[in-house]
Amino acid sequence: MDKKKALLIVVVVLAVILVGASVLYKNLGDDIATEQLAVTETPAPENGSGETDDVAAPDFTVYDADGKAVSLSDYLGTPVVLNFWASWCSPCKSEMPDFNEKYLEIGDRVQFMMVNMTDGAQETLASALKFVEESGYDFPVFYDTELSAIMAYGVYSIPTTFFIDVEGNVAGWMPGAMDAETLQMGIDLIIE
């Protein structure tokens, strides 16, 4: 009988610890999420001309679900939300409903490029396509099967999101998952 009580106490204590950790993670994560959005500051001109140089977004080519090549430069003149993700990435999956909702709201004014890190090992085209289909997302998904986009942006962790203005310049970026409020802050950097 004592062993059963001891086991029950251990289970209850572990449950309390897990719930407490979850609540702390959620609350602390909400407090710092908006502070992680990095706004690209235009560097001071070195030539003293008074003109500034913008940070141009590197171009890349990825593929849509039909295998058609699509480049970032195809969207020059349109603000772009560029998100790098994978279906095995829990933080990526946690932010996708907010991206989908925002896409449905403003997708006619902002190009969403949800770029899947399709490395062929951890993430295959089949697993990514299955995830998108099962999730029912409406935003445009592209597949970085050659990892050229990941390399062009130096993405070392996912999710990572870049906000690119109509002139093709990076206005801001954020590593890690973001909430709807932070996503809106990034979008506000690139739309008029």
Side-chain angles (χ1 to χ4, degrees), residues 2 10 20 27 38 70 78-79 81-82 85 145 159 173 177:
D2 288 333
V10 169
N27 289 339
V70 177
T78 302
V81 173
L82 172 61
W85 67 279
T145 57
W173 68 284

Side-chain angles (χ1 to χ4, degrees), residues 63-65 85-89 93 96 114-137 139 141-145:
Y63 301 90
D64 67 14
W85 67 279
S87 67
W88 51 262
C89 166
K93 294 192 284 189
M96 288 188 150
M114 304 299 286
V115 177
N116 178 263
M117 190 178 80
T118 320
D119 63 3
Q122 265 189 301
E123 183 82 289
T124 64
L125 186 57
S127 65
L129 287 166
K130 180 180 177 189
F131 170 75
V132 172
E133 182 180 328
E134 288 176 353
S135 300
Y137 291 127
F139 47 61
V141 177
F142 302 95
Y143 302 91
D144 191 10
T145 57

